[in-house]
């Protein structure tokens, strides 16, 4: 569900967050409108508002784990985890974590990829949320859910700063609720 449909309709913070996201046409390949959150990070108020909205949502849910998807989930996840008293668990690309890991492969439109997590990072029964910057197809979030559940965690919800409009109709990933702050920023001269 989009935040504007869940108690934050008309909240000026959502407009400010949306305005702070820069669009880079044709990156990384022709036809893609890349949603660049680095400009959001350069705006301390918009960045704080983004984290605060997530913190307000998850503060009283008894969350044990905030799992951040590499790499942009690492930008929001630790701040949320600290504010709600949860541990932060990085979900990384292959061969980035030292020590023993468990992994989950997933299919992309152009191939396959994989997420890894340290063995023991999530305990059976831990209540978890998954955070990332953007959801387009849901493939990466689905892999994150599978990985956390294989470790015995209970995924409560997935959260993204940006979500494609199609998620207004189906706001679940693998049966888990999906919470999104804003839709992608559009530009008029994209061709």
């Amino acid at each position: 569900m989009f935040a504007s449909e869940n108690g934050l309709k008309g909240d000026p913070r959502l407009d400010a967050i949306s305005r702070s996201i820069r669009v880079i046409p044709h990156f990384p390949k022709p036809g893609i409108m890349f949603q660049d959150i680095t400009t959001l990070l350069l705006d301390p108020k918009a960045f704080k508002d983004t984290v605060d909205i997530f913190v307000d949502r998850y503060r009283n849910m008894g969350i044990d784990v905030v799992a951040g998807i590499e790499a942009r989930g690492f930008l929001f996840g630790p701040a949320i985890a600290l504010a709600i008293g949860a541990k932060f668990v990085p979900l990384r690309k292959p061969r980035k974590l030292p020590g023993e890991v468990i992994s989950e492969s997933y299919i992309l439109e152009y191939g396959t990829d994989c997420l890894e997590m340290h063995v023991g990072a999530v305990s059976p029964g831990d209540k978890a949320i998954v955070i990332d910057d953007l959801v387009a197809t849901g493939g990466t979030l689905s892999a994150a859910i599978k990985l956390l559940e294989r470790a015995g965690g209970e995924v409560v919800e997935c959260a993204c700063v940006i979500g494609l409009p199609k998620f207004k109709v189906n706001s679940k990933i693998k049966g888990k609720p999906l919470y999104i702050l804003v839709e992608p920023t559009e530009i008029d001269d994209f061709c």
Side-chain angles (χ1 to χ4, degrees), residues 50-58 80 131 159-161 179 181:
T50 301
V51 172
D52 287 350
I53 291 170
F54 287 129
V55 168
D56 290 345
R57 180 164 183 82
Y58 300 115
I80 296 165
I131 183 87
C160 294
V161 177
Y179 186 70
L181 298 189

Side-chain angles (χ1 to χ4, degrees), residues 3 40 45 54 114 118 127 142 147 155 168:
L40 182 146
K45 181 163 178 12
F54 287 129
C114 181
H118 276 127
K127 290 174 68 176
S142 293
L147 192 58
V155 177
K168 283 186 174 181

